[in-house]
Amino acid sequence: LWLALWLGASLVCTLLPVPWLVAFLAVHPYGPLFIVGCYFYLIHASGPSPFRVGGLCIAALLAIYLSLQQRAGFITPDVVSGFVVPLVMLAFFGLFILMIRGQLATRVPVSTAMALGALTYPLYLVHGRIGELIYARLPQWPVLLKLVPVLLVALILALVLSRTTETHGRRLFEKAL
């Protein structure tokens, strides 16, 4: 129920002007990306249901829409990015669907899935600013070519953060509990 409420709040934030506190609590405009991940987890853990699949579809469409609206902040808002952003997001969503259905050509070991999952939050934290810094300093390469070093540096930094700060911080937090 909480996930549907969060999705509803995200829709309201997208469609109507809301007080800053509502947008802050809904993690607007990034909330739908987290909501998609939550729905994928619920479908994986508890199986698909019309409610979960419907919520996933609505959250995915909202995430794509908001990403297109936000692309000027992280990539040039041109015709190419208007196609690239939704296609990349749909490709990731498709990959996640294949993963939770066990339909990949190779099985992803749990340890690999956990390691990749551990990168998501540090990557979320660092990719924007690091991307801006690197992207602005690269030569006038085609947009897609510029994304390669940006993604590599962001992934490496996320890995370092995950292995150092997050792992040790989690242990300290677990001990405190």
Side-chain angles (χ1 to χ4, degrees), residues 1-149:
L1 179 62
W2 66 271
L3 201 51
L5 292 173
W6 188 10
L7 180 54
S10 294
L11 279 166
V12 169
C13 290
T14 302
L15 299 173
L16 302 170
V18 297
W20 73 268
L21 184 59
V22 174
F24 176 77
L25 293 174
V27 195
H28 184 73
Y30 308 107
L33 294 166
F34 292 106
I35 295 167
V36 165
C38 292
Y39 274 119
F40 274 123
Y41 172 77
L42 288 174
I43 291 168
H44 174 68
S46 303
S49 72
F51 182 76
R52 289 183 197 113
V53 172
L56 174 64
C57 291
I58 293 167
L61 289 172
L62 186 58
I64 290 169
Y65 172 77
L66 289 170
S67 293
L68 283 169
Q69 299 300 312
Q70 297 292 312
R71 74 184 195 267
F74 64 91
I75 191 171
T76 54
D78 56 13
V79 175
V80 173
S81 70
F83 288 103
V84 170
V85 169
L87 288 176
V88 168
M89 293 180 76
L90 287 171
F92 274 107
F93 295 158
L95 177 66
F96 298 150
I97 289 168
L98 292 174
M99 286 176 71
I100 64 175
R101 292 185 63 165
Q103 293 181 324
L104 288 177
T106 60
R107 295 285 294 166
V108 176
V110 172
S111 60
T112 302
M114 294 293 287
L116 291 173
L119 289 179
T120 59
Y121 190 65
L123 187 58
Y124 161 73
L125 292 176
V126 302
H127 79 281
R129 294 293 172 221
I130 294 298
E132 283 181 38
L133 288 171
I134 296 169
Y135 191 89
R137 286 161 179 76
L138 288 174
Q140 294 300 318
W141 297 341
V143 171
L144 294 178
L145 188 58
K146 284 178 125 178
L147 290 179
V148 172

